[in-house]
Amino acid sequence: MILTTSRIVLSTLHFYEQRNNVSLFKIFKTKNQSMAVQKKINIQNKKARFEFEIIDKYVAGIQLTGTEIKSIRLSQARITESFCEFNERGELFIVNMYIQEYLFGHQYNHKPKSERRLLLNKRELRSLKKEVEAKGNTIVALRLFINDNGFAKLEIALAKGKQTHDKREVLKERDSKRDLARIKKSFNS
């Protein structure tokens, strides 16, 4: 009975992988223990590094439900349009973070775009709130990842918005680096 159930589960997972072009966890069973090998999850917000000048970085935990963490482990999340804000009680929340609904979740599935609480020390929260209120800085999400213990973590940054001329300078530097790399490559060939 157990053998047929595991075959059904494996065939369902294989069908899901083919249908959505997603690689799920590969489960290897040994005689005494079962071991799950998971791929590294590293969802980045490249747009934030271009639009903001990063002042300070923090790593925060996220308060999630069961189906949310399962979707994140399948790399079905986006943080490109997300930002962080404080509520009236001094807690930090991430807004506009999109986590796709879990495929196998039924009526207990989560909302894709909802505010999620970030977990930081009180000292870190106080210093962030002080910096945001005093100088007009903002808090943006840089990277969503899963640490070695299997917990979802969010790398956030205290940031200041760039002017348009600063963005142009960054683009010029990138172009010049790219041109230099091409010249070096053609010179070495």
Side-chain angles (χ1 to χ4, degrees), residues 68-86:
E68 288 174 332
I69 188 65
K70 289 178 181 183
S71 291
I72 289 175
R73 285 188 179 138
L74 294 174
S75 295
Q76 296 177 343
R78 277 194 311 259
I79 57 171
T80 52
E81 299 172 359
S82 63
F83 61 95
C84 300
E85 65 182 8
F86 286 95

Side-chain angles (χ1 to χ4, degrees), residues 13 17 23-30 33-41 73-74 146-148 150:
L13 290 176
E17 284 179 347
S23 175
L24 299 174
F25 307 112
K26 296 178 182 174
I27 301 173
F28 301 99
K29 299 211 177 208
T30 60
Q33 67 186 39
S34 66
M35 185 169 124
V37 177
Q38 60 182 340
K39 63 179 182 173
K40 292 288 183 182
I41 305 300
R73 285 188 179 138
L74 294 174
I146 294 181
N147 67 357
D148 296 334

Side-chain angles (χ1 to χ4, degrees), residues 4-18 24 104:
T4 58
T5 307
S6 63
R7 284 183 184 164
I8 292 171
V9 169
L10 288 176
S11 65
T12 308
L13 290 176
H14 182 67
F15 173 74
Y16 179 77
E17 284 179 347
Q18 287 179 344
L24 299 174
F104 300 114

